[in-house]
Amino acid sequence: MSGRLDRRTFISALVALAAPLAAGAQAPIKLHRIGLLTPLSASDAALWYQAFRLGLRELGWIEGKNISIEYRYAEGKSDRMRDLAADLVRLQVDVIVTSVTMDALAAKDATKAIPIVMAAAGDPVATGLVESLARPGGNVTGLSQMTYELSGKRLELLKEMVPGLSRVAVLWNPQNQGSTLTWKEIQLPARRLGIQLHSLEVRSPNDLDQAFEDATRARAGALFVIQDPVVNTNLGRIAGLAAKSRLPSIFQWSDFADAGGLAAYGPDRADLFRRAAAYVDKILKGAKPGDLPIERPTKFEFVINLKTARALGLTIPQSVLLHADRVIE
């Protein structure tokens, strides 16, 4: 009798020990939810998001396995940013990743609790996104693409590529805080280079044709394009209008040169998005965004479209070509 009791006790003990082990083995892996917010369209952001997912995968985060991603695209319509940001907040995502300044500002207005990672903001201090680059504070961190610092370099490149250049038309959206800061920032390097700037304000795609007519009347010798959702979602059209207007043009993303613009110079945005994944990794593992310093670009791209140069009758100096990372023949 006592032997059977001992046996029963032993078996009961084994079952009790096995139960939590079995439960632990069957416990589902927590699925962290990441919100991707951008003023661009899905096609415009595709390559950058691919780089971001690759960066996550390298760190062990795989979509559908231990993370899920909510995509929100404003399709170039700035007035949608606030609602899209609020939608991600309602979903209670664990972190929001933004593309540029505009969507970062919308996300910050929507939440003070959910961490926000900027993949390629302009000047996060000047726009009020963070307190400082070293200690951002609050719930925002990430990377800056040095938009304003590099604008002077783009003007220099235009001057080197276009002989006798003295008047440059600047395509920008005054409703975009980041664009406004860039417009102010380029005044000093323009004066230093002896270049007169002519403002072409565009608030929607409907303003583009009129802007180029204005540039022709102003006898501009080249076109300087400032980043904005209206611009970013119409790069091919802008490159075409610039070619039609016989305007050598420059922008900060290589897509513009690929679309027919004369040149592009700026940070490698795919690299910035890949690096943004490291911020997400740290935050999902418990780091506070306000303690993570803002990083700057380490890779830059200078692309020249020689086919466009020939169509414009331009001969790009060899000294400039030697500095190009890529030449489109």
Side-chain angles (χ1 to χ4, degrees), residues 270-283:
D271 182 63
L272 290 176
F273 273 82
R274 184 187 60 78
R275 290 168 59 195
Y279 280 89
V280 173
D281 174 65
K282 292 174 183 176
I283 288 170

Side-chain angles (χ1 to χ4, degrees), residues 12-201:
S12 297
L14 284 177
V15 171
L17 284 170
L21 292 174
Q26 295 171 2
I29 297 174
K30 180 181 178 182
L31 205 64
H32 291 279
R33 186 179 286 186
I34 299 170
L36 289 184
L37 177 65
T38 180
L40 306 178
S41 65
S43 58
D44 290 328
L47 288 177
W48 304 334
Y49 282 173
Q50 181 180 353
F52 174 69
R53 289 190 298 268
L54 177 61
L56 287 174
R57 180 176 285 271
E58 290 171 349
L59 295 165
W61 299 103
I62 301 170
E63 191 172 4
K65 182 178 179 181
N66 51 10
I67 58 168
S68 65
I69 300 180
E70 294 286 342
Y71 299 85
R72 295 295 182 273
Y73 304 97
E75 305 287 346
K77 299 173 183 175
S78 305
D79 55 355
R80 296 186 60 198
M81 292 306 314
R82 187 180 296 273
D83 289 341
L84 293 176
D87 189 33
L88 290 175
V89 173
R90 279 193 295 271
L91 290 175
Q92 297 182 330
V93 296
D94 295 294
V95 59
I96 296 174
V97 178
T98 62
S99 296
V100 289
T101 299
M102 177 179 290
D103 47 355
L105 287 168
K108 185 179 180 182
D109 287 343
T111 178
K112 298 295 184 288
I114 297 174
I116 298 167
V117 173
M118 308 173 296
D123 186 335
V125 177
T127 51
L129 283 164
V130 300
E131 295 173 9
S132 73
L133 297 181
R135 292 193 63 83
N139 64 323
V140 182
T141 187
L143 300 109
S144 166
Q145 59 175 322
M146 296 171 60
T147 303
Y148 318 124
E149 295 95 325
L150 296 176
S151 295
K153 178 63 176 176
R154 290 186 198 100
L155 277 178
E156 288 179 11
L157 289 170
L158 267 182
K159 182 90 171 178
E160 290 180 42
M161 290 186 290
V162 184
L165 182 63
S166 61
R167 189 171 181 82
V168 174
V170 181
L171 196 70
W172 67 295
N173 185 352
Q175 294 178 329
N176 183 330
Q177 185 179 355
S179 297
T180 301
L181 284 171
T182 302
W183 167 251
K184 293 178 180 177
E185 186 73 22
I186 61 175
Q187 303 300 316
L188 183 59
R191 286 194 294 271
R192 178 172 54 80
L193 293 166
I195 291 176
Q196 184 178 359
L197 300 178
H198 180 75
S199 173
L200 302 177
E201 298 184 4

